[in-house]
Amino acid sequence: MIVRTFKAAGDVPVFRYAASREIVARTDQVGHAVFDTTLAPGTSDTVARDAPGEFPAQAHFCLSGNGMVTVGGRSAIVEADTLVAARAGTDITFHAETELRICTIFGGEGPEEEIRADPLVRRVAETVGTGRDVFWGNGQSRRLLVRDDGFGFALCQTLGNANTDSPLQYRHHFESCYYVSGSGEYVWESGSHPIDTNGAGATVFIMNRNDAHRMVVRDPSVCLSVFSPPIEGHEAHDFTGKSPSSY
C-alpha cells in the first residue's frame, strides 16, 4: 500500500503555467498517474503536449469551480463533477471563470491509435439512475469511464456510506482511491492510515500489489477510483464471504 496526501505531494508540470500536485506518480507503477491542479479565476491554461508521457489517454475531472473547456476544437461548459477525456495528443485548454480545481489522470496501454478517437465530455448527473450508477456494496459508484469507453483505464466517482467497514482486494486491477471528502481510515496487513480530507487536503491510497485492505468510513466519503486495466462497469462487492471481496 502506498499512501500520499495532497499536502505531501510534490509539484510537477502538467499544464503550461499552473503547478500540479503529483498524487499518483509514474514511479508507483500502477498503470496510471494522477494529478491535482487549481487554476486561478480568469485564467486559461493548456495541458502540456508532453505531459501524458508514455500514456495514450488523458482524463480531467472537475472537482470544484466552473468555466469552459476546449477539447479538440470543441467547447463545453465545465463545472463540478464534469469529466473530459481524450487521446493523449488532443489539445485541451481550460478557461477558469471561478477558481477551478481539476483532477487529471493519464493512463491506458498500447499505442495512442487504439484509444477512442473522439473526445468525451460526461457529467456525473448524466449517470445517476442509469446502468452506470452502481451500488458497489457500501455506497454508490458512478462509473464515468469503463472498458467500453475505450480509454484504457476506468474512472469512478465512489461514494462511501457513513459507519461502514468494507473488506476489499482487487486481484485483477491496480486501483488508486483519491479521497476528496469524508473521514475514516484504511487498514491493511502491515499498517493503517486515516482518510484525511481536511488537514491534509486529500488522501490517496494506492493498491500497488493488489493489497487486501479494509475501507472504514466514518463520515460520508467521496473519492475518485482509478482502475488499470479498466473494469467492465457492472461490478459490485459481496461482503457475505470470509475473504475480502474482489473484482
Side-chain angles (χ1 to χ4, degrees):
M1 181 78 71
I2 300 172
V3 183
R4 191 172 290 122
T5 64
F6 174 85
K7 284 192 173 180
D11 288 344
V12 295
V14 172
F15 287 78
R16 290 181 180 173
Y17 306 113
S20 302
R21 294 293 179 96
E22 189 177 41
I23 306 304
V24 179
R26 291 174 171 84
T27 53
D28 294 329
Q29 297 183 332
V30 290
H32 54 264
V34 180
F35 308 88
D36 192 323
T37 310
T38 298
L39 304 184
T43 64
S44 296
D45 211 338
T46 300
V47 179
R49 295 285 292 182
D50 61 350
E54 73 278 17
F55 294 120
Q58 59 180 317
H60 308 270
F61 184 80
C62 180
L63 294 169
S64 62
N66 59 75
M68 297 289 294
V69 62
T70 302
V71 50
R74 169 191 172 192
S75 294
I77 294 172
V78 63
E79 55 194 358
D81 295 346
T82 302
L83 169 73
V84 181
R87 286 180 170 179
T90 304
D91 289 330
I92 299 182
T93 299
F94 286 92
H95 316 273
E97 295 179 3
T98 64
E99 185 176 85
L100 198 60
R101 184 180 175 192
I102 301 164
C103 182
T104 294
I105 302 98
F106 298 131
E109 296 180 349
E112 187 174 339
E113 291 74 20
E114 294 181 2
I115 299 299
R116 170 176 167 157
D118 56 315
L120 172 70
V121 177
R122 177 172 286 151
R123 306 175 197 282
V124 169
E126 297 170 7
T127 71
V128 175
T130 72
R132 290 179 177 269
D133 187 6
V134 177
F135 182 75
W136 61 264
N138 275 324
Q140 294 300 122
S141 176
R142 279 68 188 263
R143 307 285 167 79
L144 293 164
L145 291 179
V146 297
R147 182 179 297 277
D148 283 350
D149 288 313
F151 291 98
F153 62 91
L155 174 64
C156 310
Q157 184 194 62
T158 303
L159 311 184
N161 290 342
N163 303 313
T164 55
D165 189 334
S166 306
L168 304 167
Q169 184 175 19
Y170 295 98
R171 297 183 176 89
H172 307 290
H173 308 273
F174 288 117
E175 187 205 23
S176 300
C177 288
Y178 186 39
Y179 283 84
V180 294
S181 69
S183 67
E185 65 177 340
Y186 266 46
V187 181
W188 59 97
E189 183 178 7
S190 60
S192 64
H193 195 283
I195 298 171
D196 186 352
T197 61
N198 291 313
T203 306
V204 69
F205 297 89
I206 306 166
M207 276 56 78
N208 60 322
R209 294 181 179 86
N210 309 112
D211 308 272
H213 60 282
R214 288 169 42 224
M215 170 186 168
V216 182
V217 176
R218 297 192 181 93
D219 297 318
S221 66
V222 179
C223 78
L224 294 182
S225 302
V226 184
F227 291 93
S228 298
I231 59 174
E232 299 291 338
H234 56 76
E235 296 91 337
H237 287 290
D238 179 359
F239 298 125
T240 60
K242 293 182 180 181
S243 299
S245 181
S246 176
Y247 294 164

